[in-house]
Amino acid sequence: MGDVRVSGTILVLMVSYCSGSIICDKVDVAEIEGDVISVCYNQVKSKEIKCPRNESVLVKHFLQRAHASKDGDDKGADYRSCAEKFNDEYYDVGECLLMTSDVHQKRAYQTAIMEVLEECSQKRYCILEGDTSSSIHGLKDLPVGERKKRPSHLAVLHQCVKDQVASVLCDSKTETGKEGYISSNRLKMSSRDTSTCTCTVSGAASRVTLLDVRLGNSNVTTLSIRDKTRTVYTIHGGDLAVHFMEEINISQSEWSLQVDVIRDYLPNKIWMRLEGHNGSDVTVTCKESETRDTHGAPRSSSGEECLNY
């Protein structure tokens, strides 16, 4: 069975580490926009995601896929089967992570998500494995739904997006358009021991979408968005923290993005999309890194240990 095309509007979930039982609700895939590729937990077979030339993979959503019997009582619905059926049920991995209080279950969800992003995000082509050596395989024994069904597949919702000219953090560049992108380059960031990289956005109120932000495991790595009067948004690096498909609305016509980096603790990925209000142009100006004083104590984490999407 090939990839499944589903349409509709993606829902943005704000997910954090919270306590609770592992009960997550079904998702109607008819309301989600994108392509779904399913990796079976019980089959040594890889699945590939491939985008056309000049396009990149944008991972938008993670779903657990579980078989259901026709009569609804789940008898005879063999979770070990890799056959993809029309009446399969989908459960949101973000909600599963939100609802579970078990540390090992949380870690299994997080590592699987990180593995998929590392393999596929902002790349033209990637291969996902479901064998026992992969983090994806670690999800096979985590039940979903009120009936605690065992899932058969991890379903990765993704889209291919056109490669855009992006402003690069720690580089001197100015771009103007109705839509802009900011991305990171580890080589640029590693040119100095300790630095602050800044991009200024001007021209209109903006909507920012964090497509994929992974700051790494150190809380001294910080990303903040600030307008003329206050800090609108701040995140720190931390253990397996990832932020993606998260939207931030900024009402002022000028604001700045600032990333504090240390060469030994570089961000894994920063990729975001900027859109001007009502189709207005926005201008993004990034500048080379500025050396920071390292004699003071490092900035403390805000305590965020979350996975947002």
Side-chain angles (χ1 to χ4, degrees), residues 38-269:
S38 296
V39 180
C40 184
Y41 301 135
N42 304 295
Q43 186 178 61
V44 184
K45 184 178 180 181
S46 61
K47 290 292 187 74
E48 68 174 23
I49 298 176
K50 187 174 182 179
C51 290
R53 188 181 301 277
N54 299 322
E55 295 190 15
S56 301
V57 176
L58 170 60
V59 178
K60 301 181 69 175
H61 223 60
F62 293 90
L63 306 170
Q64 291 270 52
R65 184 172 187 163
H67 299 317
S69 61
K70 293 181 180 179
D71 56 14
D73 63 3
D74 297 332
K75 293 180 179 179
D78 186 2
Y79 67 89
R80 294 166 296 185
S81 171
C82 289
E84 299 177 22
K85 303 176 182 179
F86 74 94
N87 63 335
D88 284 349
E89 298 174 350
Y90 295 85
Y91 296 81
D92 184 82
V93 170
E95 186 182 14
C96 296
L97 172 61
L98 172 69
M99 297 305 294
T100 183
S101 58
D102 185 273
V103 173
H104 297 292
Q105 291 172 346
K106 288 182 185 297
R107 183 56 61 101
Y109 286 126
Q110 293 158 357
T111 53
I113 289 170
M114 291 290 284
E115 179 175 298
V116 174
L117 290 176
E118 188 67 32
E119 291 292 328
C120 298
S121 179
Q122 211 176 359
K123 298 179 181 178
R124 185 189 171 199
Y125 173 83
C126 65
I127 295 178
L128 299 179
E129 306 278 358
D131 60 29
T132 55
S133 65
S134 73
S135 297
I136 291 174
H137 190 265
L139 301 181
K140 71 182 184 66
D141 296 323
L142 302 185
V144 292
E146 292 184 357
R147 298 192 300 275
K148 297 187 180 296
K149 301 174 63 172
R150 291 184 66 176
S152 59
H153 298 74
L154 173 67
V156 179
L157 173 68
H158 65 280
Q159 284 186 317
C160 291
V161 296
K162 291 186 180 297
D163 290 338
Q164 303 284 343
V165 176
S167 300
V168 181
L169 282 157
C170 301
D171 195 9
S172 294
K173 192 172 187 179
T174 299
E175 297 286 344
T176 299
K178 299 184 185 310
E179 182 178 73
Y181 288 77
I182 296 176
S183 63
S184 59
N185 182 308
R186 287 175 66 89
L187 182 60
K188 291 282 186 184
M189 288 184 168
S190 66
S191 61
R192 296 187 181 183
D193 288 343
T194 306
S195 60
T196 297
C197 302
T198 303
C199 294
T200 301
V201 181
S202 60
S206 308
R207 180 174 64 185
V208 183
T209 305
L210 305 184
L211 303 176
D212 181 6
V213 176
R214 288 172 277 139
L215 297 184
N217 291 332
S218 173
N219 61 23
V220 301
T221 306
T222 303
L223 179 152
S224 59
I225 293 176
R226 182 175 178 81
D227 61 23
K228 293 181 178 179
T229 59
R230 63 189 179 93
T231 298
V232 177
Y233 185 85
T234 301
I235 54 177
H236 302 268
D239 186 28
L240 295 179
V242 56
H243 302 256
F244 73 108
M245 295 312 300
E246 180 180 350
E247 292 187 356
I248 304 164
N249 291 307
I250 302 175
S251 59
Q252 295 192 11
S253 60
E254 183 172 315
W255 55 274
S256 63
L257 167 73
Q258 179 173 298
V259 179
D260 294 339
V261 294
I262 296 176
R263 186 164 60 184
D264 293 337
Y265 303 101
L266 298 179
N268 294 325
K269 174 80 70 175

